[in-house]
Amino acid sequence: MNSASPRPAHSIMVLYTGGTIGMQASANGLAPASGFEQRMRAELSTRSDLAPWRFREMQPLIDSANMTPAYWLRLREAIIDAVDQGCDGVLVLHGTDTLAYSAAALSFQLLGLQAPVLFTGSMLPAGVDNSDAWENLTGALEALTAGQKAGVQLYFHGELLPPNRTAKVRSFGRTPFIALARTASATTIAPLPTELDYRKPRQTAKVTVLPLVPGFSTDLLRTVIHSGVQGVVLECFGSGTGPADDPDFLAALEEARNAGVVVVAITQCHEGGVELDIYEAGSKLRQAGVLSGGGMTREAAFGKLQLLLGAGLPVDKIRQLVEQDLAGELR
């Protein structure tokens, strides 16, 4: 995690990925649209109090429902390029559906970056009645102008939210995101391995999420394990329990470990985290090779595995780093 003191931004790059904030009506409903820079300049023409900003339209513009890990890597490069060109603040305009995923993923992809990056968007397009677009956009620019700590944060409805503790919980209204409570009052951040520095090359990784339900099919787990996947986020019950009385389920988890597939347990609960050794139903998962995701959200666990598996590290090193706090994600 970065330790640089907050400094007012003097040059901001605005990266526009699409999303509701700039959408316009089409024959099939609202769709991403070009031309948002002109609309933004007209809206902010009297705001001389904001730091100077530049604008870059990412290609392709997308509805955030179409976000992919490959797009994250292009966005990562665009942020690095902006900072290398002298920008000391970056604002990413993004659709809300996967905004929490992208913010979490980029918080890992940009470990070590000594500049603030804010993500924002809106629930209604700019220009429609009761839209939250301009208030979120100008609020984020104001926050960067005032000065923010290095690293990634979300900005929405006047709040700065931590990228690894935030989830979208509402599909309506002006406050779709909440920051989930931490499971510990203090977090010890592990030293950053050189392989995870933001300038190191990255690849996309094959990661999926599997939620456990009563009567969960082991056949489904085996199908996933043998699909070429590299990592699995296993959404467990409570403090990290699963059907530990099913020997076939445990055998499938052992097969995953033996095949080099990294399986990380997180909780389905909205508060708290995974502690695999509390119950037998959790400790058996640990014995079968499942790793503890601590208090990680689904978004954080998915993004962290994308980083670790895409950095080309040995599996043993990845398994070690999964359970080390890199950016405040575990607690």
Side-chain angles (χ1 to χ4, degrees), residues 74-98:
R74 293 201 299 275
L75 187 55
R76 168 183 173 268
E77 290 301 321
I79 292 170
I80 294 172
D81 287 346
V83 174
D84 286 348
Q85 292 169 19
C87 292
D88 51 4
V90 179
L91 175 59
V92 180
L93 304 181
H94 193 292
T96 62
D97 282 349
T98 58

Side-chain angles (χ1 to χ4, degrees), residues 260-290:
V261 178
V262 180
V263 181
V264 181
I266 64 171
T267 180
Q268 297 177 16
C269 298
H270 299 301
E271 296 184 3
V274 166
E275 297 182 67
L276 291 176
D277 299 325
I278 291 180
Y279 296 98
E280 182 182 37
S283 63
K284 285 188 175 181
L285 301 189
R286 167 78 79 184
Q287 293 165 20
V290 176

Side-chain angles (χ1 to χ4, degrees), residues 95-120:
T96 62
D97 282 349
T98 58
L99 192 152
Y101 280 96
S102 293
L106 268 296
S107 74
F108 291 112
Q109 294 290 344
L110 296 171
L111 285 171
L113 181 73
Q114 295 299 304
V117 179
L118 297 189
F119 277 74
T120 196

Side-chain angles (χ1 to χ4, degrees), residues 111 190-197 200 313 317 321 324 326:
L111 285 171
L192 180 65
T194 56
E195 300 93 334
L196 301 186
D197 182 82
K200 296 295 183 180
L313 297 168
K317 183 66 171 178
L321 289 171
Q324 290 185 14
L326 301 177

Side-chain angles (χ1 to χ4, degrees), residues 36-231:
F36 190 71
E37 179 180 4
Q38 290 72 24
R39 299 170 65 193
M40 183 174 164
R41 290 198 180 279
E43 178 68 23
L44 300 179
S45 60
T46 62
R47 294 298 304 270
S48 59
D49 57 317
L50 298 175
W53 53 271
R54 298 181 243 171
F55 191 96
R56 176 177 172 182
E57 187 174 287
M58 298 291 294
Q59 294 296 329
L61 293 176
I62 61 170
D63 185 308
S64 73
N66 297 320
M67 184 55 68
T68 65
Y71 200 109
W72 287 338
L73 294 187
R74 293 201 299 275
L75 187 55
R76 168 183 173 268
E77 290 301 321
I79 292 170
I80 294 172
D81 287 346
V83 174
D84 286 348
Q85 292 169 19
C87 292
D88 51 4
V90 179
L91 175 59
V92 180
L93 304 181
H94 193 292
T96 62
D97 282 349
T98 58
L99 192 152
Y101 280 96
S102 293
L106 268 296
S107 74
F108 291 112
Q109 294 290 344
L110 296 171
L111 285 171
L113 181 73
Q114 295 299 304
V117 179
L118 297 189
F119 277 74
T120 196
S122 66
M123 294 294 283
L124 293 174
V128 307
D129 290 343
N130 202 35
S131 172
D132 54 343
W134 297 127
E135 68 182 65
N136 286 338
L137 190 154
T138 57
L141 288 174
E142 289 167 354
L144 286 169
T145 299
Q148 296 300 317
K149 64 183 180 180
V152 175
Q153 296 182 88
L154 285 79
Y155 179 92
F156 224 88
H157 193 58
E159 283 190 277
L160 288 165
L161 304 168
N164 290 317
R165 301 299 306 165
T166 298
K168 185 177 181 181
V169 298
R170 300 181 188 90
S171 61
F172 62 91
R174 302 177 98 79
T175 56
F177 299 101
I178 63 168
L180 303 178
R182 293 194 178 275
T183 59
S185 58
T187 301
T188 301
I189 308 297
L192 180 65
T194 56
E195 300 93 334
L196 301 186
D197 182 82
Y198 74 98
R199 290 195 178 278
K200 296 295 183 180
R202 296 283 181 267
Q203 295 181 334
T204 57
K206 295 180 180 179
V207 180
T208 194
V209 179
L210 282 180
L212 295 182
V213 294
F216 179 82
S217 169
T218 300
D219 289 340
L220 173 60
L221 177 58
R222 278 204 169 90
T223 298
V224 169
I225 291 169
H226 297 294
S227 68
V229 75
Q230 298 167 273

